[in-house]
Each structure stands twice: as structure tokens, then as C-alpha cells.
Amino acid sequence: MKQMMHYILSNDGNEFERGKIEAIGESVYEMTEYVVERLASHFGHRLEFDFVDVSNEWTFEAEDEEEGSHTIRFAPEGIHADKFGIEE
């Protein structure tokens, strides 16, 4: 499966990048892991992102003692994240 995702990256609540990324995987879980792995490198150093929430978008966060909180938010084009992958 492939799906285009819109993403927003921020540090301490300050957005520093927006864009699109193609998610690839056999399941929704694999696709979200793929996106987080690719976007985590945009923060400049290795961080462990934890899942926080899914509603309109997926939210993952990491804490860094020196630089504060880092956030990755993303959602599939055309559908809320919490409805993505659900058969109707």
C-alpha cells in the first residue's frame, strides 16, 4: 500500500517544516512507522518518537533535555487519520 501524507514538524510548538511524504507499508501501522522513521531525520539528531494521539492526524513526540519537545504530525490526503484503513 502507498498513501500520500501531509506532515508538519515542530520544535517546542514552533513549526519549522511542512510538506508531503509518501507512506509505504502493508498495514496502517507499517505506514505510520515508515513516515516517522523518514521524518525523524529532519530534526538533525537521533530521537525516539512516541505515539501520542490519532484523530484528524497522527501525532508523535520526542523529548530532548537540551532542545525541548519535538513533534511530528501527519495525515493522509482526503481522510482523517482515525478513519484511514477502516473498511466501511
Side-chain angles (χ1 to χ4, degrees):
M1 272 189 330
K2 293 182 180 182
Q3 173 68 39
M4 190 58 67
M5 304 280 185
H6 294 276
Y7 70 85
I8 300 171
L9 306 180
S10 58
N11 287 324
D12 281 332
N14 299 311
E15 181 183 314
F16 70 88
E17 184 175 322
R18 282 179 175 256
K20 291 183 181 182
I21 186 170
E22 186 173 55
I24 301 170
E26 295 298 317
S27 66
V28 172
Y29 175 79
E30 285 181 10
M31 293 172 80
T32 58
E33 289 294 307
Y34 179 89
V35 170
V36 171
E37 287 175 13
R38 297 306 175 278
L39 294 177
S41 66
H42 293 231
F43 289 90
H45 56 287
R46 184 161 172 75
L47 294 167
E48 291 293 325
F49 282 86
D50 296 315
F51 172 77
V52 175
D53 185 39
V54 62
S55 55
N56 293 342
E57 59 195 9
W58 285 282
T59 303
F60 288 79
E61 291 184 349
E63 292 291 326
D64 180 343
E65 290 180 16
E66 296 173 11
E67 297 182 23
S69 67
H70 309 284
T71 306
I72 297 173
R73 296 182 323 204
F74 59 96
E77 284 187 333
I79 188 170
H80 291 296
D82 63 346
K83 305 291 187 231
F84 181 68
I86 297 175
E87 300 290 328
E88 294 201 12

